[in-house]
Amino acid sequence: MPPSIDSILERFPNKQREDLIPMLQEIQDEFGFLSEEIINHVGAYLSISVNKIYGVATFYDNFRFGPTGRFHIRLCHGTACHVAGASTFIQELEKQLKIKSGETDKEGLFSLEVVSCVGACGLAPIIEINGEYFTQLTSEKLNDILQSFRIKDQDIYES
Ligand code: FES
């Protein structure tokens, strides 16, 4: 059974402000994103204002405030991937999907997360979608990958 919010909060009995980031991370790992209700709950527990929590959490790219898309894209922006042009792919994805990192498109199809090194630097640049890795990315490959997931989504709905 997954832990409840309270059981996660109880792992931080000292209720210190420094607990905020690791606490939010644990909650997101468990629940997938940080809902307004969760943020309120955390604020009450740590005696921190909701605005302050949003201020801190939005500073980090890896926190999400809504559910992920049916296909969750994690684009590596570690050093090797950066050198290999990952920034271009971030821009391309943001433009094509009309979202920023941490957001989900309006159809709920794709969500985007920019992450640090996923540990396969020799194959940079890399993206991972729902656990599947795509390496030595090029713009052409990226378009084909997105298209293949769009088709996969149609197949799921038509079958
Ligand atoms: S920097 Fe991307 S895999 Fe290491």
Side-chain angles (χ1 to χ4, degrees):
M1 198 174 89
S4 66
I5 293 282
D6 287 330
S7 70
I8 294 175
L9 299 188
E10 282 162 14
R11 289 182 211 150
F12 301 89
N14 296 330
K15 301 185 177 184
Q16 293 175 339
R17 284 175 173 243
E18 300 78 65
D19 293 335
L20 179 61
I21 298 293
M23 184 185 278
L24 293 179
Q25 194 61 61
E26 283 198 31
I27 293 170
Q28 179 166 286
D29 289 346
E30 193 54 50
F31 295 93
F33 68 101
L34 305 172
S35 68
E36 200 179 328
E37 190 191 352
I38 285 173
I39 300 264
N40 285 333
H41 210 67
V42 168
Y45 185 78
L46 292 179
S47 304
I48 301 177
S49 77
V50 167
N51 282 349
K52 178 86 183 165
I53 295 178
Y54 276 114
V56 172
T58 52
F59 182 76
Y60 295 90
D61 278 340
N62 59 331
F63 287 120
R64 289 187 298 278
F65 303 97
T68 55
R70 295 190 283 286
F71 301 115
H72 184 58
I73 302 171
R74 296 172 77 237
L75 186 139
C76 180
H77 200 212
T79 307
C81 286
H82 174 72
V83 170
S87 304
T88 311
F89 300 119
I90 298 174
Q91 284 168 13
E92 257 180 58
L93 282 166
E94 288 185 340
K95 195 169 150 203
Q96 277 207 41
L97 306 178
K98 300 188 179 67
I99 55 173
K100 298 273 179 212
S101 175
E103 295 177 351
T104 301
D105 67 16
K106 30 181 214 312
E107 293 82 25
L109 182 59
F110 291 110
S111 47
L112 175 63
E113 181 181 359
V114 176
V115 299
S116 50
C117 184
V118 295
C121 307
L123 298 171
I126 293 177
I127 60 168
E128 180 234 304
I129 305 180
N130 290 12
E132 194 177 344
Y133 286 82
F134 301 91
T135 60
Q136 295 174 321
L137 203 59
T138 62
S139 290
E140 204 175 32
K141 268 194 193 179
L142 180 63
N143 286 331
D144 289 349
I145 292 163
L146 292 179
Q147 191 53 22
S148 74
F149 277 95
R150 288 189 178 106
I151 291 169
K152 201 181 275 191
D153 188 63
Q154 280 173 3
D155 290 347
I156 291 169
Y157 279 91
E158 282 165 12
S159 61

